[in-house]
Amino acid sequence: MDMMFDSSGDLLITKNGDILLEDSTAQKIRIRLLWFEGEWRWNTDEGIPYMKSLLVKNPDIDYFESVVREKIFEVDEVVEVKDVRVVYDTKTRDAVIHYVAQTDFETIKEEVEIKCQTME
C-alpha cells in the first residue's frame, strides 16, 4: 500500500483527517516520471535525465520518449507501454508527458507536467 498524493504532490487527506492508503500503479508511474536523475543522493544514476536530455535547446524527443517508455515499464505492474508522447515548449523548456500503460487489470492514460527550473 502507498500513501496517496493529490495532483500537486501533497499527501491526500480524507475528510476525517486520515492519510489515504491505496495501491496505485498510476501513482507509481507518476513518481518515477517526476524523479530527476541525480536527485536521490544514495544513487545519483536513478531518475530521468531531464536536464541532460529534454530541458535543453533542441532536445532529441524520440530518444527522450524511449527513455520515458523504459522508466514506465520498470514499474512492476506494467505489462505494456502502449504510447508515450512528449509535448515540448521551446520557449519555456517545459514539457508534458502523455502516456498509456497497460497492467493486467487496467489501462492507465495519464499526463505528467515537467517544469524547467531555471536558476536565477
Side-chain angles (χ1 to χ4, degrees):
M1 299 299 275
D2 298 313
M3 292 183 286
M4 296 303 296
F5 297 104
D6 64 17
S7 61
S8 69
D10 289 332
L11 283 175
L12 193 56
I13 307 293
T14 67
K15 290 180 182 180
N16 295 334
D18 296 324
I19 295 172
L20 185 61
L21 297 176
E22 211 172 282
D23 190 21
S24 171
T25 303
Q27 179 170 293
K28 290 176 186 177
I29 294 170
R30 180 177 187 76
I31 289 169
R32 193 166 294 255
L33 294 181
L34 289 172
W35 196 349
F36 279 58
E37 182 180 67
E39 184 175 22
W40 191 36
R41 70 178 183 181
W42 289 284
N43 187 348
T44 56
D45 293 332
E46 281 296 326
I48 296 181
Y50 288 110
M51 301 309 283
K52 294 178 190 173
S53 299
L54 180 67
L55 304 178
V56 297
K57 188 175 182 177
N58 301 319
D60 182 345
I61 299 297
D62 290 336
Y63 164 76
F64 192 77
E65 287 175 347
S66 71
V67 170
V68 169
R69 184 177 298 276
E70 287 177 25
K71 288 297 179 183
I72 293 171
F73 198 66
E74 288 176 4
V75 175
D76 290 337
E77 293 85 352
V78 174
V79 296
E80 183 181 359
V81 181
K82 293 187 173 206
D83 186 42
V84 172
R85 186 171 46 91
V86 176
V87 178
Y88 178 72
D89 184 329
T90 56
K91 281 186 173 182
T92 63
R93 295 190 181 168
D94 294 340
V96 178
I97 299 170
H98 302 267
Y99 71 89
V100 178
Q102 185 71 44
T103 72
D104 287 333
F105 306 105
E106 65 181 326
T107 299
I108 302 166
K109 184 177 181 181
E110 297 278 335
E111 64 180 47
V112 176
E113 189 174 348
I114 305 299
K115 294 281 194 180
C116 180
Q117 300 172 347
T118 58
M119 300 177 78
E120 297 181 26

